Amino acid sequence: MSLRLDLAWQAQKWPQAHAACKPALAAVQFEGAKLAETDALTVLRCAVAAVLTGDETAVGAVQAKFGGPMASGPFKNAFAAISAKPQVKWT
């Protein structure tokens, strides 16, 4: 996990956490459908940070790249809930 991401996450500074995600996600390695638990947590935190900052494009990109590996990991339910497309738009 990225120290910058971890510090921003702990401080609940979502824009800074979101900004730290690009390099953090670039460092995530996976073979086939397996992610290490620490990498899966990084992916989940980046998806959450993208949602909390309203960056739907980033949520979609994280889902597209990591949806497969996350679907079989320890955070599969949380990732599915966070990265799902909203069914209702509030106006």
Side-chain angles (χ1 to χ4, degrees):
M1 176 157 322
S2 158
L3 178 60
R4 187 172 296 201
L5 173 58
D6 193 41
L7 290 172
W9 184 267
Q10 294 301 321
Q12 298 184 356
K13 295 188 176 196
W14 310 125
Q16 290 87 344
H18 182 51
C21 283
K22 187 173 183 177
L25 290 174
V28 170
Q29 301 291 319
F30 62 94
E31 290 188 28
K34 295 284 183 185
L35 276 174
E37 188 170 329
T38 56
D39 287 338
L41 184 58
T42 296
V43 172
L44 179 62
R45 285 183 173 185
C46 287
V48 170
V51 167
L52 291 175
T53 58
D55 190 344
E56 293 179 24
T57 302
V59 175
V62 171
Q63 169 61 26
K65 184 171 182 178
F66 298 104
M70 290 296 287
S72 61
F75 306 111
K76 63 184 173 190
N77 293 333
F79 184 76
I82 291 297
S83 64
K85 291 188 184 241
Q87 300 298 314
V88 176
K89 289 264 187 188
W90 300 100
T91 56

